[in-house]
Amino acid sequence: MKWSKLKQNVQEKFADSVKGRVEIFTTRYNKPNSSTGRAWITIDGIEIVNFSTMKSGQIYKCIYHEATPTNCKTHPKVEAENRTPGQLLEQGEFSRFDLHKCCFEYLNLTVDEGLEHASPIINSLAVLDKRLGKRRLPLIDRQLLHPLTRRLLEFRLSVEGLLNTRNVEV
């Protein structure tokens, strides 16, 4: 499936409150002997994360995260104690290929399967999904989430008017 159709299908699953405000993008740089590129997510047009294929390859010597549904070689996840405070992603943690695979996989999952999936990218798509109702949103334990998923959940809670600011870590 072409990226434009995949993107459209994924973003159609977003809740009305985040549609057009949260967007996913990808690009590929065609250089000789290379198909590197990057993907990114924006909120209100501001890039919040960068999935750099080149950084992933340089740092981990492979381009897929262990939680990405693939049969290719993968690198281990970044443990919580090794994370940089305040960062949503570590450099090279995910690649453009991770985003593509996870978006494609997400199209065939229920929202519950998306929330329970090992991939933080798929979890992030699940918290934006219109099938996840407003009553369930505040019940999700934010402390157990990957920083990216937590940020997107908090954004959704905020735009839905459900965010209790006293319980949010900034």
Side-chain angles (χ1 to χ4, degrees):
M1 179 181 306
K2 286 187 173 188
W3 168 250
S4 57
K5 186 64 175 172
L6 180 58
K7 174 183 173 169
Q8 178 186 0
N9 289 344
V10 168
Q11 290 184 170
E12 281 175 357
K13 290 184 175 280
F14 288 179
D16 289 342
S17 60
V18 298
K19 262 187 194 162
R21 297 190 69 185
V22 176
E23 293 185 85
I24 53 178
F25 297 94
T26 185
T27 191
R28 183 178 67 181
Y29 307 116
N30 288 324
K31 297 179 180 177
N33 301 319
S34 174
S35 66
T36 62
R38 72 182 196 104
W40 62 100
I41 297 175
T42 64
I43 295 179
D44 293 331
I46 298 169
E47 184 177 308
I48 63 164
V49 290
N50 176 22
F51 304 98
S52 172
T53 303
M54 185 180 298
K55 282 287 183 194
S56 191
Q58 288 172 343
I59 295 168
Y60 296 104
K61 307 300 183 233
C62 64
I63 57 172
Y64 287 106
H65 186 274
E66 72 177 11
T68 299
T70 183
N71 294 327
C72 298
K73 181 182 174 189
T74 62
H75 64 80
K77 69 180 184 176
V78 177
E79 297 297 336
E81 60 271 10
N82 296 329
R83 292 199 165 281
T84 306
Q87 296 241 96
L88 298 181
L89 293 180
E90 295 301 318
Q91 280 197 2
E93 184 175 358
F94 296 105
S95 72
R96 171 181 155 267
F97 295 103
D98 286 314
L99 182 67
H100 281 233
K101 286 273 192 185
C102 289
C103 284
F104 189 76
E105 180 77 12
Y106 187 70
L107 292 178
N108 299 308
L109 299 177
T110 66
V111 74
D112 289 326
E113 291 168 332
L115 290 170
E116 294 169 8
H117 201 278
S119 171
I121 296 173
I122 292 176
N123 302 151
S124 297
L125 296 172
V127 300
L128 297 171
D129 198 306
K130 63 186 166 196
R131 299 174 293 173
L132 181 59
K134 291 181 185 181
R135 281 183 271 165
R136 283 185 60 196
L137 277 171
L139 302 176
I140 298 171
D141 187 352
R142 293 181 280 220
Q143 301 308 314
L144 301 176
L145 299 176
H146 183 279
L148 171 61
T149 307
R150 185 180 315 122
R151 172 68 177 96
L152 291 171
L153 173 61
E154 289 172 356
F155 177 73
R156 171 120 187 251
L157 287 167
S158 174
V159 299
E160 297 282 5
L162 303 170
L163 186 64
N164 179 353
T165 55
R166 290 176 287 166
N167 296 334
V168 175
E169 291 180 23
V170 180

